[in-house]
């Protein structure tokens, strides 16, 4: 129990079984933590009590500490929610509105995680345009130093025409222009999030939530789907894996090189770059 001796002093009792608190360096903090556990689990510590004195400022400190921990945990959970950690991911085969496309792109070889600087550059140049990444190699089949991808901005899709000023702006900054076809069907999944623009955590969560599902979906149905395309929109990431016209999604820099699908190698299903699904 506890009793007041004056305005600034409160006397608490705790049971010797709470010896785990001895790891704390402050005797006062030990008592505060013991009393907190007592109220938390509603245990009866009236047997063999030991009386120690704790001042009200110590209690106030503990209250602030608990509040800060609660706010920190809440902030982390809310952030992960907005990054889409608990989003339901559905993989399906369907037609797509992404095609034909006009894309301004740069190529890179190496770890896929290093493409972030290109996305940042693209966003700074054309912040109102959707961003697109085309990944040609499976990280489980190809060495990290040889992973190939094209990263760029979607200048136009469907029947729309690219804006000449935007094309000139991108080419003057070292980007190239490529026209991509519209596949008959694609394996697709959408990863929603509510952040203003894709951030590292949202992309990280998306990769580890979506790609295992894409892999299982294509392998169970023996689908020849490649390469993997990631479209970054204002409300999420759209994953697309064309089921036809595969070779037409390969940018000129990689045309003559051997391509591995982003989820399964071509040899597993006898696919060729000229195959139609």
């Amino acid at each position: 129990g506890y009793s007041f001796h004056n305005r600034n002093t409160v006397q608490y009792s705790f049971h010797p079984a709470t010896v785990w608190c001895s790891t704390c360096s402050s005797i006062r903090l030990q008592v505060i933590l013991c009393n907190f556990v007592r109220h938390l689990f509603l245990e009866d510590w009236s047997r063999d009590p030991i009386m120690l004195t704790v001042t009200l400022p110590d209690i106030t400190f503990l209250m602030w500490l608990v509040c800060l921990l609660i706010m920190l945990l809440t902030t982390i959970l809310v952030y992960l929610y907005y990054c889409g950690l608990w989003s339901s991911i559905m993989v399906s085969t369907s037609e797509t509105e992404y095609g034909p496309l006009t894309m301004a792109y740069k190529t890179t070889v190496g770890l896929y995680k290093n493409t972030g600087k290109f996305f940042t550059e693209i966003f700074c140049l054309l912040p109102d345009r959707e961003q697109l990444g085309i990944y040609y190699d499976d990280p489980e089949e190809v060495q990290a130093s040889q992973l190939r991808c094209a990263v760029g901005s979607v200048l136009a899709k469907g029947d729309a025409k690219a804006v000449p000023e935007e094309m000139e702006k991108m080419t003057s900054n070292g980007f190239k222009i490529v026209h991509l076809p519209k596949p008959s069907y694609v394996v697709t999944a959408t990863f929603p999030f509510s952040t203003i623009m894709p951030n590292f955590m949202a992309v990280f969560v998306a990769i580890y939530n979506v790609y295992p599902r894409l892999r299982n979906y294509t392998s169970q149905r023996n689908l020849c789907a490649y390469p993997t395309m990631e479209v970054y929109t204002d409300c999420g990431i759209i994953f697309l894996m064309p089921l036809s016209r595969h070779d037409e999604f390969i940018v000129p820099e990689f045309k003559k090189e051997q391509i591995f699908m982003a989820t399964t190698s071509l040899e597993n299903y006898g696919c060729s770059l000229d195959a139609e699904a």
Side-chain angles (χ1 to χ4, degrees):
Y2 57 86
S3 60
F4 284 92
H5 289 275
N6 52 54
R7 293 178 58 187
N8 296 319
T9 303
V10 184
Q11 199 169 52
Y12 285 94
S13 64
F14 67 98
H15 196 274
T18 58
V19 66
W20 58 273
C21 290
S22 61
T23 57
C24 301
S25 59
S26 170
I27 297 298
R28 286 181 175 178
L29 184 57
Q30 293 178 34
V31 179
I32 294 172
L33 291 175
C34 291
N35 187 68
F36 173 74
V37 174
R38 169 195 173 187
H39 286 284
L40 184 63
F41 295 101
L42 300 177
E43 294 182 356
D44 183 10
W45 292 359
S46 59
R47 297 169 296 176
D48 193 17
I50 297 176
M51 308 302 294
L52 287 175
T53 300
V54 183
T55 60
L56 286 178
D58 290 327
I59 300 175
T60 304
F61 170 76
L62 176 62
M63 294 175 62
W64 276 107
L65 181 61
V66 172
C67 289
L68 288 174
L69 290 175
I70 293 174
M71 288 189 291
L72 176 61
L73 180 60
T74 302
T75 301
I76 293 174
L77 292 176
V78 171
Y79 178 72
L80 291 176
Y81 169 78
Y82 276 94
C83 286
L85 181 61
W86 293 283
S87 299
S88 177
I89 308 299
M90 297 295 296
V91 180
S92 63
T93 300
S94 65
E95 296 184 275
T96 178
E97 64 176 282
Y98 286 92
L101 297 176
T102 300
M103 175 187 180
Y105 73 96
K106 285 183 177 180
T107 58
T108 179
V109 179
L111 291 171
Y112 285 151
K113 68 179 182 180
N114 294 335
T115 60
K117 60 182 179 181
F118 295 103
F119 284 109
T120 301
E121 180 183 7
I122 295 165
F123 182 81
C124 292
L125 292 172
L126 296 177
D128 296 327
R129 289 294 184 180
E130 295 176 338
Q131 300 172 2
L132 172 63
I134 307 177
Y135 301 92
Y136 296 105
D137 299 310
D138 183 354
E140 295 185 2
E141 300 282 347
V142 179
Q143 293 182 0
S145 60
Q146 299 178 359
L147 297 174
R148 292 159 293 185
C149 69
V151 179
S153 177
V154 178
L155 301 181
K157 60 184 178 181
D159 296 329
K161 301 295 183 181
V163 179
E165 291 78 9
E166 292 183 346
M167 296 180 64
E168 182 178 356
K169 185 176 185 179
M170 297 302 284
T171 54
S172 64
N173 282 275
F175 289 82
K176 298 180 180 180
I177 305 298
V178 67
H179 299 281
L180 303 176
K182 180 178 181 179
S184 301
Y185 288 91
V186 296
V187 175
T188 182
T190 300
F191 183 85
F193 55 80
S194 302
T195 49
I196 296 176
M197 64 174 292
N199 57 71
F200 172 78
M201 181 58 70
V203 174
F204 179 84
V205 172
I207 289 174
Y208 284 91
N209 272 359
V210 176
Y211 274 105
R213 291 176 170 82
L214 289 174
R215 186 185 299 276
N216 292 336
Y217 185 91
T218 56
S219 62
Q220 290 173 3
R221 293 164 175 78
N222 291 337
L223 296 177
C224 184
Y226 69 93
T228 297
M229 304 165 62
E230 298 177 4
V231 183
Y232 292 84
T233 69
D234 291 335
C235 56
I237 305 174
I238 301 174
F239 295 80
L240 304 170
M241 300 180 69
L243 291 170
S244 62
R245 310 180 72 173
H246 308 119
D247 58 324
E248 298 181 51
F249 290 92
I250 303 173
V251 295
E253 290 83 349
F254 302 142
K255 276 286 187 180
K256 295 182 179 181
E257 300 181 11
Q258 185 179 15
I259 301 299
F260 290 86
M261 289 189 298
T263 55
T264 50
S265 63
L266 300 180
E267 290 80 2
N268 288 344
Y269 304 113
C271 297
S272 67
L273 293 179
D274 297 322
E276 291 285 330

